[in-house]
Amino acid sequence: MRKDLVFGMAGSGGDGIVSAGDSLLQAAAAEGYHGVMTKSFGSQIRGGESSCRVRISTTPVLNPGGNLDVAVALNWDDFLKFGAELPVSGTTVVIYEAATNIPEDQIPLVGVTPLQVIAVPIAAMAKETAGTERAKNTVVLGLIAGWFGIGAVAVMKGIRKKLAKKGDELVEANQRAFDAGRAFAMAHPLKASMNIVASETKGNVKLITDGNDMSAAAAIFAGCQFFGGYPITPSTEVMQFFTDQVWKYGGSVLQAEDEIAGIGAAVGASFAGKKSMTATSGPGLSLKCEMMGLASIAELPLVIIDVQRGGPSTGLPTKTEQSDLFAAAFSAHGDVIRPVLAPTSVADTFRIVIEAFNIAEYYQTPVIVLSDQEIASRKETLDPIDTSQFKIIDRLRPTAAELQGYTRFKQTENHISPISHPGMLGGTYLASGIEHVESGAPTNSGSVHQRMNDKRTKKFDPLKDRKDLFEITGNPNAPLAMVAWGSVAGVCREALAMAQAEGMNVKLMVPYLLYPVAEGAYNEFFASVQKGLIIDQTHLAQTFKLLRMHIDLPKGVHPLSRSGANPFLPGDIVAALHHLLSELQRSHEGELQPQE
Amino acid sequence: MSATGTCEFQPKDYKSDLKPIWCPGCGDFSVVQGIYRALAAVGRPPHEIAFVSGIGCSSRIPGYTTAYGFNSVHGRALPIAQGIKLANPDLLVLAAGGDGDGFSIGGGHIAHLIRRNMDITYIVMDNQIYGLTKGQLSPTSQKGRITCTSRYGSMEEPVNPLLYVLAYGAGFVAQASPTDLAGMAATIEEAIRYPGFAFVNVQSPCVTYGEEAQQIKGLKAISESLTAMGHNPADRLAAMDLAQQYGEKMHLGVFYRNPEPPPTYGDLVKERQTMLSKDALPKERILDLFIKK
Amino acid sequence: MAIQGIDFANLSLKDALDLAILVEDEAQERYEEFATQMDQHRTPDAAKFFRYMVENEAKHGRELLARRIQRFGDAPRSVTRAMIFDIEAPDYDAARAFMSPRKAMKAALASEVKAYDFFVAALPALKDTEVRALFEELRDEELEHQKLVNVELAKLPPDSGLSDEDFVDEPAAQ
C-alpha cells in the first residue's frame, strides 16, 4: 500500500491526456486525497505533445514530486520530448500503448530498468467499447482506478457531471471505456501491489485551483478594482479570471493594446484612488519597466504579477524558470526600491497576493509578485482557507485637517504621506514622473532629489523586519542550510524532510520577501551555518548573487542553480546536501587533527 | 454667464501658482488660457477633473491648472487617462501633449482609445517639432523640413493627425489655434461636453524652433473657419476631405461631431456592473469558486 | 482680438463700463504674466517695463471702477471675461525670451493701437449716447497710452540694429 503516488502521462494534444489528469485530480480530491497537477506542452497551439504530472497523497503535497511512480505513454515520441520533466526510475511502473508495436523489453528508455513495463491495447479497447479511439484517456483512467485504487467511483461521477449536457450516449460510451480499463487492470495485477491507502479525510471539502486563478481571487478579496493587461503566456489566466469576476464587484478590466498601456491604465486607476493590478510574464515585464519607475516616483500603489517563464526574450514561453529575479528587483532606471514577493505554492499564492496589495497600499509603491509557470498553471487540492485571518490594508488618506493646505509628499516620521485622489476636495496635486518637491511641483534641484530619494527608500526599512515573510524550518542552529523560494521551495521542503529522516542536521529558509533584501533575517539565519546551498532555477545563480550583494555569506555557502525547464527533484537536493555534509565532516577532521 | 448659466467658476479658478517653463511667445500659453476658459464654461470644480499628460514642453500643462494633474511618461498619457476614467467614471478626464507624444512614441494608443470611445478629451498641441530636446524632426514635420536631425531635409511624409483620428472613427474631431482664442476656448468646451472620445488638434507654434510660416502670422494667413465655410460637422466624409488639407490650410472649428453619439465605454461598463452585481459572492467567500463537489 | 456675445447696439452704460474694466483687467493680467515670463527667462529690463504697464493698466482700471460704483453701485455685472479676448492685452506670441526693452515697448504699443482700433470699430454700432461718449473717451485714452509708451521709447538709447539672437546662449535641452 502506498501513501503517495506520482503519475506522469504524455501523449499528443489529441489524446486528451491533460483532461484525464484533471479528472484524476478531481476524483482524488473527492476521495479526500491531497494532490498537485502540473501540465507541460510543446509549442504548438494544437496537436503538439502534451503531458501532465499528477501527484496524489494522503498528506499535503509540497511539490509535483520527483521520479514517477507511474508513467503512461500513449506514444513514445511524445513521452520522450519531456525528458527530465517525466523521469522514469527503477521504481516506476510504465504503462504504454500496445499499438506502438514496441515489445515490453525494448521500450526506448535509456539507462533505466523500470520496476514493471506493461503494454496495454489502450486504443483498441477505446475503439471497441466507446466506438472511438478518442476515449483512450478514459481507458487510462480505468486502468489507474484498477491498479492504484484511485477514482473507482469518483472518476465516472466527475465525467458524468462534465458531460451531462451532452447526452447519455456519450456518458455511457465513456463508462464502457472506463470499465474496460479497470477490468484489464483487475485481470493483470501488478507484480507488487501499488494501491493507495484510503484517505482519512474522505468527504471533507477540497478546493482545486491553480496559481493564476488563485492570484486573481486573492486580488478581488484584497479589494482590487482594476486590472489593466495584455495577453501573455503563462499569466493570461489571471486576467481571464479577473474579468469573469470583477464586474460583479463594481470594478473593471482593460485588455489593453499592449503591455505598456496595460500597466499604464493600472497606474491611472491607482492614481484615481482604486486598488489596481496588472499581470505579465518576462517580455511584458521588460516593457513595463518605465511605468514601474513612474509608479515608484509618483508613490502610487500597484501590484504587478510576473509569472516567470524561461528567458531572455521569448525564451521558453511554456516552461518554468526563476530568472526574472534580477529584472524584478532592478528593472527601471534610477535609484528605486520596489518590493518583490514570491509565493511557493497555489495555496500560499492567496496570502502572498493579499500581502502584495497590503504592502503596495501601505508603502504607496509598486510591488512585484514573482510567480512562476509551475505555480501559475499547476492545480492543487487545497483545504478550505479561513479568509477572516487576513487583514486588508488601505492606503493612508488625508484627514479633513490635512486637506487644508494639502501637501501630497509631506515629510513624515515614517516617510509615508497621506495620499489623495481625484474627486477629493482640497486634495488636488500634480502627480509626476519628474522629480518634485513635497507639494508635487516639479524641480531639478539636487538637494530635493536627495531628500526625496531618502523618503522613497527609507520608507521600506520596516518591511525588512517582517519576520513573517520568512519561513525557517529545521534545526535553527544547524550548520547545514538551504535557501529556496518560489516553486523550488516546495521541492526543498520535501528534501529537508528526507534529509532529516536520514539524520542530517539541516535547516531551510524560504523567503517570501525577495527584495529589498532583509539583511537582518539572513544574517541571523546564516549565523550557525558552515555549509549551505542557495537553490534556484536560474542559469546565473541569481539568488546567490543577489544575496551576496547584500550579505557576507559564509564561505561554505554555494549556489545550486540550473536553467528553467530542468526541474529540481527532492533527491537532487538531498544528494547535494550529502556532498556538503561530507565536506563539512572532512573539514572538521582537518580542524581536529592538529590538536591530537 | 457661461452657456450653462452657471458662473460658479471663473477661468482663474483653474490657474495654478506654478510658473510655466515655456518660452515667452509659445503658443501653449494661449492653449492653457483656452483650457481655463473652457473649464470655467463647463463649470466642473477643479477637484473633479483629472488632467493627464506625457512628456514634452506641452505636457507640462496639467501642472499649470488647479485640477488633479498627472505629468506621466513619454507617450503614455492616454493609457493612464483610461485607467483613471475606468476607476472613477464621474471624473472629467482631460489628456494633453505634443505631436511627438501623441503620434510618435504614443502613436499606438490613440486608435484604441477611439475604438473604446471613452469619455475623454484629448488635446494635442501640434507644433511640428520636438522642442524639449532642441528641435528635432517630429511626426508632423512637413516633408523636406530641415532640423538638427534632418540637416538635408526630412524624407518622410508627416502624420495627418486629423485624418488619422477621423479614419479610426473618433466621434468628435476639431482643430483650434491661438490665432483665435475665443474659438479655441469654445472648441475645447464643445469637445469636453461631447459624450465620448473627443480630439482637438491645436496648431500651437514653437517660437524657438518653429519656422516663420508656422508662427501666428503665418498661421493666420492659412486659417479658415469651418463654420464660416458652411461645413456641416455631421458629414464625416466632408470632414475627411477637408482634413486632407492639413499642412496647407488651417481649418478651425469642428470637423466632425457624431450627431448620434453611441454609448461610451463607461456606459457599457456601468451596464455590465449592474447586470452582474447580483451574482457577486461575498468577498470573504470568493474561494468557494474553487470548490469541486 | 476677439469678442463674442456682445450686442453693441443695445449696450447699456453699465455694461459698457464693466466691459471697459474687463478690458483693463485683461491687459493688466497679461502684462503681469509677461513680467513673470521675463523673470523666469532672465530678461529683467523687459520685465521692468511690463510691470510699468501693469501699473498703468491697473490705474486706469481703478478709475473706471470708481466711476462704475459711483454710477451703478454694486449692481450685478452682466458682461464676463469670456466675452473678450486680447482687446488691449498684447498677444501671447508678442513675448520673447531676452527681448530688449525696445521690443517690449513695441509690443505694448501695438496692443494700444489694437485697443484704439477696437473702440473705433465699435463706435458706429453704438446707439446709446452716453455709451458713445464713453467709447470715444476710451478711444482717446488709448491714444494717450500710445503717447506714454512712445515717451518711454524715446528715452531709450538708439537701437544698435544688432539682433539679440546673435548674442544669447542656445536653448538648453530638457
Side-chain angles (χ1 to χ4, degrees), chain B residues 20-50:
Chain B
I21 56 141
W22 297 323
C23 303
C26 178
D28 296 348
F29 282 107
S30 305
V31 183
V32 75
Q33 288 296 330
I35 291 172
Y36 297 150
R37 285 169 191 249
L39 289 174
V42 172
R44 288 290 293 272
H47 74 276
E48 292 177 6
I49 300 166

PDB file of all heavy atoms in Angstrom, chain B residues 20-50:
ATOM      1  N   PRO B  20       4.845  78.700 -15.775  1.00  0.00           N
ATOM      2  CA  PRO B  20       5.212  77.888 -16.939  1.00  0.00           C
ATOM      3  C   PRO B  20       6.680  78.026 -17.308  1.00  0.00           C
ATOM      4  O   PRO B  20       7.254  79.106 -17.206  1.00  0.00           O
ATOM      5  CB  PRO B  20       4.319  78.455 -18.046  1.00  0.00           C
ATOM      6  CG  PRO B  20       3.139  79.019 -17.337  1.00  0.00           C
ATOM      7  CD  PRO B  20       3.671  79.542 -16.034  1.00  0.00           C
ATOM      8  N   ILE B  21       7.250  76.901 -17.742  1.00  0.00           N
ATOM      9  CA  ILE B  21       8.639  76.915 -18.206  1.00  0.00           C
ATOM     10  C   ILE B  21       8.696  77.245 -19.696  1.00  0.00           C
ATOM     11  O   ILE B  21       9.773  77.307 -20.282  1.00  0.00           O
ATOM     12  CB  ILE B  21       9.316  75.540 -17.987  1.00  0.00           C
ATOM     13  CG1 ILE B  21       8.492  74.439 -18.680  1.00  0.00           C
ATOM     14  CG2 ILE B  21       9.514  75.230 -16.522  1.00  0.00           C
ATOM     15  CD1 ILE B  21       9.333  73.394 -19.349  1.00  0.00           C
ATOM     16  N   TRP B  22       7.542  77.381 -20.317  1.00  0.00           N
ATOM     17  CA  TRP B  22       7.508  77.610 -21.767  1.00  0.00           C
ATOM     18  C   TRP B  22       8.244  78.885 -22.138  1.00  0.00           C
ATOM     19  O   TRP B  22       8.254  79.873 -21.396  1.00  0.00           O
ATOM     20  CB  TRP B  22       6.055  77.715 -22.245  1.00  0.00           C
ATOM     21  CG  TRP B  22       5.267  76.464 -22.037  1.00  0.00           C
ATOM     22  CD1 TRP B  22       5.707  75.188 -22.169  1.00  0.00           C
ATOM     23  CD2 TRP B  22       3.894  76.383 -21.641  1.00  0.00           C
ATOM     24  NE1 TRP B  22       4.692  74.306 -21.899  1.00  0.00           N
ATOM     25  CE2 TRP B  22       3.567  75.017 -21.573  1.00  0.00           C
ATOM     26  CE3 TRP B  22       2.913  77.324 -21.357  1.00  0.00           C
ATOM     27  CZ2 TRP B  22       2.299  74.570 -21.224  1.00  0.00           C
ATOM     28  CZ3 TRP B  22       1.646  76.889 -21.018  1.00  0.00           C
ATOM     29  CH2 TRP B  22       1.344  75.518 -20.946  1.00  0.00           C
ATOM     30  N   CYS B  23       8.823  78.890 -23.344  1.00  0.00           N
ATOM     31  CA  CYS B  23       9.479  80.095 -23.839  1.00  0.00           C
ATOM     32  C   CYS B  23       8.434  81.189 -23.996  1.00  0.00           C
ATOM     33  O   CYS B  23       7.325  80.931 -24.469  1.00  0.00           O
ATOM     34  CB  CYS B  23      10.092  79.842 -25.220  1.00  0.00           C
ATOM     35  SG  CYS B  23      11.257  78.492 -25.281  1.00  0.00           S
ATOM     36  N   PRO B  24       8.775  82.419 -23.653  1.00  0.00           N
ATOM     37  CA  PRO B  24       7.843  83.506 -23.925  1.00  0.00           C
ATOM     38  C   PRO B  24       7.469  83.504 -25.411  1.00  0.00           C
ATOM     39  O   PRO B  24       8.327  83.276 -26.260  1.00  0.00           O
ATOM     40  CB  PRO B  24       8.660  84.745 -23.554  1.00  0.00           C
ATOM     41  CG  PRO B  24       9.618  84.263 -22.527  1.00  0.00           C
ATOM     42  CD  PRO B  24       9.978  82.867 -22.940  1.00  0.00           C
ATOM     43  N   GLY B  25       6.212  83.706 -25.676  1.00  0.00           N
ATOM     44  CA  GLY B  25       5.750  83.697 -27.056  1.00  0.00           C
ATOM     45  C   GLY B  25       5.200  82.357 -27.499  1.00  0.00           C
ATOM     46  O   GLY B  25       4.603  82.232 -28.575  1.00  0.00           O
ATOM     47  N   CYS B  26       5.371  81.325 -26.677  1.00  0.00           N
ATOM     48  CA  CYS B  26       4.916  79.968 -27.022  1.00  0.00           C
ATOM     49  C   CYS B  26       3.395  79.931 -27.177  1.00  0.00           C
ATOM     50  O   CYS B  26       2.666  80.554 -26.403  1.00  0.00           O
ATOM     51  CB  CYS B  26       5.339  79.007 -25.921  1.00  0.00           C
ATOM     52  SG  CYS B  26       4.786  77.316 -26.190  1.00  0.00           S
ATOM     53  N   GLY B  27       2.948  79.181 -28.166  1.00  0.00           N
ATOM     54  CA  GLY B  27       1.514  79.040 -28.389  1.00  0.00           C
ATOM     55  C   GLY B  27       0.793  78.385 -27.217  1.00  0.00           C
ATOM     56  O   GLY B  27      -0.406  78.587 -27.018  1.00  0.00           O
ATOM     57  N   ASP B  28       1.536  77.612 -26.423  1.00  0.00           N
ATOM     58  CA  ASP B  28       0.894  76.880 -25.331  1.00  0.00           C
ATOM     59  C   ASP B  28       0.325  77.806 -24.250  1.00  0.00           C
ATOM     60  O   ASP B  28      -0.600  77.421 -23.531  1.00  0.00           O
ATOM     61  CB  ASP B  28       1.873  75.884 -24.713  1.00  0.00           C
ATOM     62  CG  ASP B  28       2.289  74.792 -25.695  1.00  0.00           C
ATOM     63  OD1 ASP B  28       1.643  74.685 -26.760  1.00  0.00           O
ATOM     64  OD2 ASP B  28       3.247  74.063 -25.404  1.00  0.00           O
ATOM     65  N   PHE B  29       0.872  79.032 -24.164  1.00  0.00           N
ATOM     66  CA  PHE B  29       0.283  79.981 -23.215  1.00  0.00           C
ATOM     67  C   PHE B  29      -1.181  80.239 -23.560  1.00  0.00           C
ATOM     68  O   PHE B  29      -2.028  80.353 -22.685  1.00  0.00           O
ATOM     69  CB  PHE B  29       1.048  81.314 -23.235  1.00  0.00           C
ATOM     70  CG  PHE B  29       2.346  81.283 -22.487  1.00  0.00           C
ATOM     71  CD1 PHE B  29       3.555  81.272 -23.164  1.00  0.00           C
ATOM     72  CD2 PHE B  29       2.364  81.286 -21.098  1.00  0.00           C
ATOM     73  CE1 PHE B  29       4.749  81.247 -22.473  1.00  0.00           C
ATOM     74  CE2 PHE B  29       3.560  81.268 -20.392  1.00  0.00           C
ATOM     75  CZ  PHE B  29       4.765  81.246 -21.085  1.00  0.00           C
ATOM     76  N   SER B  30      -1.452  80.350 -24.845  1.00  0.00           N
ATOM     77  CA  SER B  30      -2.831  80.575 -25.270  1.00  0.00           C
ATOM     78  C   SER B  30      -3.674  79.333 -25.006  1.00  0.00           C
ATOM     79  O   SER B  30      -4.829  79.425 -24.615  1.00  0.00           O
ATOM     80  CB  SER B  30      -2.899  80.873 -26.764  1.00  0.00           C
ATOM     81  OG  SER B  30      -2.063  81.943 -27.079  1.00  0.00           O
ATOM     82  N   VAL B  31      -3.071  78.162 -25.258  1.00  0.00           N
ATOM     83  CA  VAL B  31      -3.834  76.925 -25.106  1.00  0.00           C
ATOM     84  C   VAL B  31      -4.294  76.770 -23.660  1.00  0.00           C
ATOM     85  O   VAL B  31      -5.458  76.448 -23.389  1.00  0.00           O
ATOM     86  CB  VAL B  31      -3.010  75.695 -25.537  1.00  0.00           C
ATOM     87  CG1 VAL B  31      -3.845  74.435 -25.428  1.00  0.00           C
ATOM     88  CG2 VAL B  31      -2.502  75.874 -26.959  1.00  0.00           C
ATOM     89  N   VAL B  32      -3.405  77.034 -22.726  1.00  0.00           N
ATOM     90  CA  VAL B  32      -3.796  76.852 -21.325  1.00  0.00           C
ATOM     91  C   VAL B  32      -4.879  77.875 -20.958  1.00  0.00           C
ATOM     92  O   VAL B  32      -5.817  77.554 -20.222  1.00  0.00           O
ATOM     93  CB  VAL B  32      -2.567  76.861 -20.383  1.00  0.00           C
ATOM     94  CG1 VAL B  32      -1.996  78.242 -20.163  1.00  0.00           C
ATOM     95  CG2 VAL B  32      -2.925  76.233 -19.035  1.00  0.00           C
ATOM     96  N   GLN B  33      -4.794  79.079 -21.539  1.00  0.00           N
ATOM     97  CA  GLN B  33      -5.875  80.059 -21.317  1.00  0.00           C
ATOM     98  C   GLN B  33      -7.194  79.526 -21.869  1.00  0.00           C
ATOM     99  O   GLN B  33      -8.247  79.644 -21.234  1.00  0.00           O
ATOM    100  CB  GLN B  33      -5.556  81.390 -22.021  1.00  0.00           C
ATOM    101  CG  GLN B  33      -4.444  82.208 -21.373  1.00  0.00           C
ATOM    102  CD  GLN B  33      -4.790  82.678 -19.975  1.00  0.00           C
ATOM    103  OE1 GLN B  33      -5.955  82.898 -19.659  1.00  0.00           O
ATOM    104  NE2 GLN B  33      -3.775  82.809 -19.129  1.00  0.00           N
ATOM    105  N   GLY B  34      -7.109  78.954 -23.068  1.00  0.00           N
ATOM    106  CA  GLY B  34      -8.313  78.389 -23.693  1.00  0.00           C
ATOM    107  C   GLY B  34      -8.908  77.292 -22.813  1.00  0.00           C
ATOM    108  O   GLY B  34     -10.131  77.187 -22.662  1.00  0.00           O
ATOM    109  N   ILE B  35      -8.023  76.504 -22.205  1.00  0.00           N
ATOM    110  CA  ILE B  35      -8.491  75.420 -21.335  1.00  0.00           C
ATOM    111  C   ILE B  35      -9.139  75.992 -20.071  1.00  0.00           C
ATOM    112  O   ILE B  35     -10.205  75.535 -19.649  1.00  0.00           O
ATOM    113  CB  ILE B  35      -7.342  74.443 -21.017  1.00  0.00           C
ATOM    114  CG1 ILE B  35      -6.968  73.667 -22.290  1.00  0.00           C
ATOM    115  CG2 ILE B  35      -7.721  73.475 -19.902  1.00  0.00           C
ATOM    116  CD1 ILE B  35      -5.725  72.807 -22.175  1.00  0.00           C
ATOM    117  N   TYR B  36      -8.513  77.018 -19.464  1.00  0.00           N
ATOM    118  CA  TYR B  36      -9.125  77.643 -18.279  1.00  0.00           C
ATOM    119  C   TYR B  36     -10.543  78.096 -18.610  1.00  0.00           C
ATOM    120  O   TYR B  36     -11.479  77.880 -17.845  1.00  0.00           O
ATOM    121  CB  TYR B  36      -8.354  78.885 -17.823  1.00  0.00           C
ATOM    122  CG  TYR B  36      -6.929  78.673 -17.372  1.00  0.00           C
ATOM    123  CD1 TYR B  36      -5.978  79.685 -17.543  1.00  0.00           C
ATOM    124  CD2 TYR B  36      -6.524  77.490 -16.761  1.00  0.00           C
ATOM    125  CE1 TYR B  36      -4.661  79.527 -17.122  1.00  0.00           C
ATOM    126  CE2 TYR B  36      -5.205  77.329 -16.354  1.00  0.00           C
ATOM    127  CZ  TYR B  36      -4.278  78.340 -16.536  1.00  0.00           C
ATOM    128  OH  TYR B  36      -2.980  78.175 -16.130  1.00  0.00           O
ATOM    129  N   ARG B  37     -10.651  78.745 -19.752  1.00  0.00           N
ATOM    130  CA  ARG B  37     -11.962  79.294 -20.115  1.00  0.00           C
ATOM    131  C   ARG B  37     -12.971  78.191 -20.404  1.00  0.00           C
ATOM    132  O   ARG B  37     -14.124  78.272 -19.990  1.00  0.00           O
ATOM    133  CB  ARG B  37     -11.829  80.207 -21.339  1.00  0.00           C
ATOM    134  CG  ARG B  37     -11.209  81.540 -20.969  1.00  0.00           C
ATOM    135  CD  ARG B  37     -10.819  82.342 -22.192  1.00  0.00           C
ATOM    136  NE  ARG B  37     -10.005  83.480 -21.773  1.00  0.00           N
ATOM    137  CZ  ARG B  37     -10.426  84.748 -21.831  1.00  0.00           C
ATOM    138  NH1 ARG B  37     -11.627  85.043 -22.287  1.00  0.00           N
ATOM    139  NH2 ARG B  37      -9.639  85.716 -21.425  1.00  0.00           N
ATOM    140  N   ALA B  38     -12.530  77.180 -21.105  1.00  0.00           N
ATOM    141  CA  ALA B  38     -13.442  76.073 -21.419  1.00  0.00           C
ATOM    142  C   ALA B  38     -13.906  75.394 -20.133  1.00  0.00           C
ATOM    143  O   ALA B  38     -15.093  75.080 -19.964  1.00  0.00           O
ATOM    144  CB  ALA B  38     -12.745  75.070 -22.329  1.00  0.00           C
ATOM    145  N   LEU B  39     -12.970  75.184 -19.204  1.00  0.00           N
ATOM    146  CA  LEU B  39     -13.331  74.508 -17.953  1.00  0.00           C
ATOM    147  C   LEU B  39     -14.295  75.363 -17.136  1.00  0.00           C
ATOM    148  O   LEU B  39     -15.260  74.843 -16.546  1.00  0.00           O
ATOM    149  CB  LEU B  39     -12.079  74.173 -17.140  1.00  0.00           C
ATOM    150  CG  LEU B  39     -11.202  73.056 -17.720  1.00  0.00           C
ATOM    151  CD1 LEU B  39      -9.921  72.901 -16.916  1.00  0.00           C
ATOM    152  CD2 LEU B  39     -11.964  71.723 -17.754  1.00  0.00           C
ATOM    153  N   ALA B  40     -14.058  76.683 -17.120  1.00  0.00           N
ATOM    154  CA  ALA B  40     -14.970  77.566 -16.390  1.00  0.00           C
ATOM    155  C   ALA B  40     -16.357  77.492 -16.997  1.00  0.00           C
ATOM    156  O   ALA B  40     -17.372  77.460 -16.287  1.00  0.00           O
ATOM    157  CB  ALA B  40     -14.441  78.987 -16.403  1.00  0.00           C
ATOM    158  N   ALA B  41     -16.404  77.438 -18.325  1.00  0.00           N
ATOM    159  CA  ALA B  41     -17.700  77.383 -19.007  1.00  0.00           C
ATOM    160  C   ALA B  41     -18.413  76.076 -18.687  1.00  0.00           C
ATOM    161  O   ALA B  41     -19.632  76.042 -18.471  1.00  0.00           O
ATOM    162  CB  ALA B  41     -17.498  77.531 -20.513  1.00  0.00           C
ATOM    163  N   VAL B  42     -17.653  74.991 -18.641  1.00  0.00           N
ATOM    164  CA  VAL B  42     -18.268  73.691 -18.314  1.00  0.00           C
ATOM    165  C   VAL B  42     -18.676  73.674 -16.838  1.00  0.00           C
ATOM    166  O   VAL B  42     -19.701  73.114 -16.466  1.00  0.00           O
ATOM    167  CB  VAL B  42     -17.297  72.537 -18.651  1.00  0.00           C
ATOM    168  CG1 VAL B  42     -17.828  71.210 -18.131  1.00  0.00           C
ATOM    169  CG2 VAL B  42     -17.089  72.462 -20.151  1.00  0.00           C
ATOM    170  N   GLY B  43     -17.858  74.290 -16.019  1.00  0.00           N
ATOM    171  CA  GLY B  43     -18.258  74.528 -14.626  1.00  0.00           C
ATOM    172  C   GLY B  43     -18.014  73.404 -13.638  1.00  0.00           C
ATOM    173  O   GLY B  43     -18.534  73.438 -12.535  1.00  0.00           O
ATOM    174  N   ARG B  44     -17.192  72.399 -14.016  1.00  0.00           N
ATOM    175  CA  ARG B  44     -16.863  71.349 -13.034  1.00  0.00           C
ATOM    176  C   ARG B  44     -15.794  71.876 -12.091  1.00  0.00           C
ATOM    177  O   ARG B  44     -14.819  72.489 -12.533  1.00  0.00           O
ATOM    178  CB  ARG B  44     -16.330  70.093 -13.748  1.00  0.00           C
ATOM    179  CG  ARG B  44     -17.393  69.306 -14.503  1.00  0.00           C
ATOM    180  CD  ARG B  44     -18.375  68.602 -13.584  1.00  0.00           C
ATOM    181  NE  ARG B  44     -17.754  67.534 -12.801  1.00  0.00           N
ATOM    182  CZ  ARG B  44     -17.624  66.278 -13.217  1.00  0.00           C
ATOM    183  NH1 ARG B  44     -18.050  65.909 -14.400  1.00  0.00           N
ATOM    184  NH2 ARG B  44     -17.067  65.369 -12.430  1.00  0.00           N
ATOM    185  N   PRO B  45     -15.942  71.616 -10.775  1.00  0.00           N
ATOM    186  CA  PRO B  45     -14.909  72.082  -9.847  1.00  0.00           C
ATOM    187  C   PRO B  45     -13.569  71.397 -10.132  1.00  0.00           C
ATOM    188  O   PRO B  45     -13.547  70.231 -10.555  1.00  0.00           O
ATOM    189  CB  PRO B  45     -15.451  71.692  -8.474  1.00  0.00           C
ATOM    190  CG  PRO B  45     -16.547  70.737  -8.717  1.00  0.00           C
ATOM    191  CD  PRO B  45     -17.049  70.927 -10.114  1.00  0.00           C
ATOM    192  N   PRO B  46     -12.474  72.099  -9.894  1.00  0.00           N
ATOM    193  CA  PRO B  46     -11.151  71.559 -10.237  1.00  0.00           C
ATOM    194  C   PRO B  46     -10.870  70.175  -9.647  1.00  0.00           C
ATOM    195  O   PRO B  46     -10.233  69.350 -10.287  1.00  0.00           O
ATOM    196  CB  PRO B  46     -10.176  72.590  -9.659  1.00  0.00           C
ATOM    197  CG  PRO B  46     -10.947  73.856  -9.590  1.00  0.00           C
ATOM    198  CD  PRO B  46     -12.379  73.472  -9.357  1.00  0.00           C
ATOM    199  N   HIS B  47     -11.361  69.910  -8.446  1.00  0.00           N
ATOM    200  CA  HIS B  47     -11.013  68.615  -7.835  1.00  0.00           C
ATOM    201  C   HIS B  47     -11.751  67.444  -8.464  1.00  0.00           C
ATOM    202  O   HIS B  47     -11.474  66.297  -8.151  1.00  0.00           O
ATOM    203  CB  HIS B  47     -11.243  68.651  -6.320  1.00  0.00           C
ATOM    204  CG  HIS B  47     -12.685  68.613  -5.910  1.00  0.00           C
ATOM    205  ND1 HIS B  47     -13.477  69.740  -5.859  1.00  0.00           N
ATOM    206  CD2 HIS B  47     -13.483  67.586  -5.548  1.00  0.00           C
ATOM    207  CE1 HIS B  47     -14.703  69.391  -5.470  1.00  0.00           C
ATOM    208  NE2 HIS B  47     -14.724  68.097  -5.275  1.00  0.00           N
ATOM    209  N   GLU B  48     -12.690  67.743  -9.350  1.00  0.00           N
ATOM    210  CA  GLU B  48     -13.370  66.651 -10.058  1.00  0.00           C
ATOM    211  C   GLU B  48     -12.796  66.448 -11.461  1.00  0.00           C
ATOM    212  O   GLU B  48     -13.378  65.766 -12.293  1.00  0.00           O
ATOM    213  CB  GLU B  48     -14.876  66.940 -10.148  1.00  0.00           C
ATOM    214  CG  GLU B  48     -15.550  66.890  -8.782  1.00  0.00           C
ATOM    215  CD  GLU B  48     -17.030  67.250  -8.851  1.00  0.00           C
ATOM    216  OE1 GLU B  48     -17.552  67.419  -9.962  1.00  0.00           O
ATOM    217  OE2 GLU B  48     -17.632  67.363  -7.774  1.00  0.00           O
ATOM    218  N   ILE B  49     -11.658  67.082 -11.708  1.00  0.00           N
ATOM    219  CA  ILE B  49     -11.030  66.981 -13.020  1.00  0.00           C
ATOM    220  C   ILE B  49      -9.675  66.295 -12.872  1.00  0.00           C
ATOM    221  O   ILE B  49      -8.909  66.624 -11.972  1.00  0.00           O
ATOM    222  CB  ILE B  49     -10.820  68.386 -13.624  1.00  0.00           C
ATOM    223  CG1 ILE B  49     -12.166  69.097 -13.781  1.00  0.00           C
ATOM    224  CG2 ILE B  49     -10.089  68.307 -14.962  1.00  0.00           C
ATOM    225  CD1 ILE B  49     -12.046  70.584 -14.054  1.00  0.00           C
ATOM    226  N   ALA B  50      -9.414  65.312 -13.741  1.00  0.00           N
ATOM    227  CA  ALA B  50      -8.083  64.705 -13.793  1.00  0.00           C
ATOM    228  C   ALA B  50      -7.489  65.066 -15.141  1.00  0.00           C
ATOM    229  O   ALA B  50      -8.099  64.837 -16.186  1.00  0.00           O
ATOM    230  CB  ALA B  50      -8.158  63.195 -13.623  1.00  0.00           C
TER     231      ALA B  50
END
